[in-house]
Amino acid sequence: MLIRRPTDILSSEITPESVYRDRRRLVQAGVAAGLLVAAQGYAGRPARAAEPSGLAPLAAERNPDFVMLDKLTSYEDITHYNNYYEFGTDKGDPAMYADALEIDPWSVMIEGEVEQPRSFTLEELLKLAPMEERVYRLRCVEAWSMVIPWIGYPLARLIDAARPTGNAKFVAFETVVQPKNMPGVRRRVLDWPYVEGLRMDEARHPLTLLTFGLYGKVLPKQNGAPVRIVVPWKYGFKSAKSLVRIRFTETQPPTAWGRSAPQEYGFYSNVNPEVSHPRWSQATERRIGEGGFFTPRRKTLMFNGYADQVASLYQGMDLKANY
Ligand SMILES: Nc1nc2c(c(=O)[nH]1)N[C@H]1C(S)=C(S)[C@@H](COP(=O)(O)O)O[C@H]1N2
Ligand SMILES: [Mo]
């Protein structure tokens, strides 16, 4: 595999510092606005949902290999119909409460089966590889889907930089816990922190994206700012938000949903219309924002439509047993 060192990367591919300084300024402006609202007597509860439209732009080259004929889901739906249980279990809770998430400064610790544990600041991660815009489907195990223009680069770039040892067979992801900022973690819906994992070849697959933005802007907090994973051929819960730790392991790591209900959420969790969730079918899906009550559901595609690219990863595996 071609490894690009920072010196190989054209400066035009690197997001200008100023974009991130801008973002900081916006964050500070947001804090100031929050104080103003508090002074006006709305303290404790945001007067309105977070405003992702105020987010800083994130420059990216559109990758033509990942454009899609499907109509994009609207920015409004992508940012107001979310799963981020740390902020509550209603689809509207993340947009309402995620504003409290503190994301500056941010770093991601890399540890476990690596030559040398180290952490990467967000600024270092942003410069590690050129940013691409890729349109991917996101398919939730709850049988709805969206089409999202993500911005990021293959996680493989970070794995290369992390220099895992020959013992590394899996990659475990851990996401942030900020109890005082996250109303959902006070409830025991899941064992916090939210953890997820991939087999090494899945993590290195070029479709697996380390994601920093969507729709031309940095990630809104409800979508997992400042950095998350996106694995488009698996159910949405594999795509861990607001990453703080990556651990390379020799054995399969536990996952938050697998711990809470192992018979419902397997480690692989590949989108598979032929394997039902124990409580509902996975054969069809509802595209968010599409039509009304009588709009026909879509047929779910094997591997969420990415079979040509990823089926070979699972050759010889029984996908009913390894759900
Ligand atoms: N930390 C964390 N990551 C998470 C979740 C969560 O509750 N907490 N929910 C997952 C689920 S179930 C889905 S479907 C996707 C939703 O991503 P989106 O809100 O950006 O569409 O995030 C995933 N990542
Ligand atoms: Mo999901």
Side-chain angles (χ1 to χ4, degrees), residues 35-50:
L35 289 176
L36 196 66
V37 168
Q40 287 166 345
Y42 296 102
R45 198 185 166 88
R48 47 182 304 195

Side-chain angles (χ1 to χ4, degrees), residues 51-278:
E51 263 299 357
S53 54
L55 293 175
L58 180 58
E61 200 71 45
R62 180 161 303 167
N63 188 325
D65 292 344
F66 306 99
V67 294
M68 209 179 276
L69 295 175
D70 303 33
K71 189 170 164 286
L72 293 181
T73 304
S74 74
Y75 191 68
E76 178 70 15
D77 281 337
I78 292 171
T79 58
H80 288 80
Y81 191 91
N82 298 104
N83 274 340
Y84 197 160
Y85 275 20
E86 289 86 334
F87 292 102
T89 52
D90 284 355
K91 295 290 176 268
D93 284 343
M96 195 64 94
Y97 300 114
D99 215 25
L101 182 70
E102 288 164 20
I103 58 169
D104 185 14
W106 193 272
S107 60
V108 177
M109 185 65 203
I110 310 268
E111 59 185 35
E113 289 294 342
V114 286
E115 284 173 26
Q116 181 74 59
R118 64 162 286 192
S119 81
F120 286 84
T121 64
L122 181 63
E123 288 70 20
E124 287 171 327
L125 289 176
L126 286 162
K127 288 178 188 159
L128 200 62
M131 287 289 165
E132 300 174 25
E133 184 190 84
R134 298 174 168 202
V135 180
Y136 282 171
R137 298 185 192 87
L138 184 135
R139 170 60 158 77
C140 182
V141 73
E142 295 160 346
W144 49 263
S145 62
M146 297 194 196
V147 180
I148 304 177
W150 299 109
I151 298 174
Y153 54 74
L155 177 65
R157 298 286 93 81
L158 175 57
I159 295 177
D160 290 339
R163 290 185 293 146
T165 70
N167 295 332
K169 303 285 188 298
F170 294 88
V171 187
F173 306 109
E174 186 180 313
T175 86
V176 77
V177 188
Q178 294 175 4
K180 70 177 185 355
N181 299 335
M182 295 174 142
V185 306
R186 286 173 224 140
R187 286 174 244 138
R188 283 254 144 72
V189 199
L190 289 171
D191 245 347
W192 313 108
Y194 192 100
V195 289
E196 255 306 334
L198 294 170
R199 210 171 59 189
M200 195 66 161
D201 57 343
E202 300 177 314
R204 278 191 179 280
H205 191 281
L207 277 171
T208 303
L209 207 63
L210 190 64
T211 306
F212 301 87
L214 60 85
Y215 259 121
K217 296 172 190 172
V218 297
L219 283 174
K221 291 179 179 177
Q222 59 265 44
N223 294 91
V227 58
R228 70 177 290 177
I229 300 294
V230 174
V231 195
W233 72 93
K234 293 176 179 281
Y235 293 117
F237 62 86
K238 298 298 284 183
S239 296
K241 292 178 168 179
S242 308
L243 263 188
V244 293
R245 195 180 304 276
I246 295 179
R247 188 176 179 81
F248 293 89
T249 62
E250 197 163 0
T251 55
Q252 185 177 301
T255 66
W257 283 103
R259 266 183 184 150
S260 81
Q263 63 300 338
E264 298 193 11
Y265 306 100
F267 181 78
Y268 287 94
S269 298
N270 293 315
V271 174
N272 188 342
E274 286 154 32
V275 175
S276 295
H277 183 278

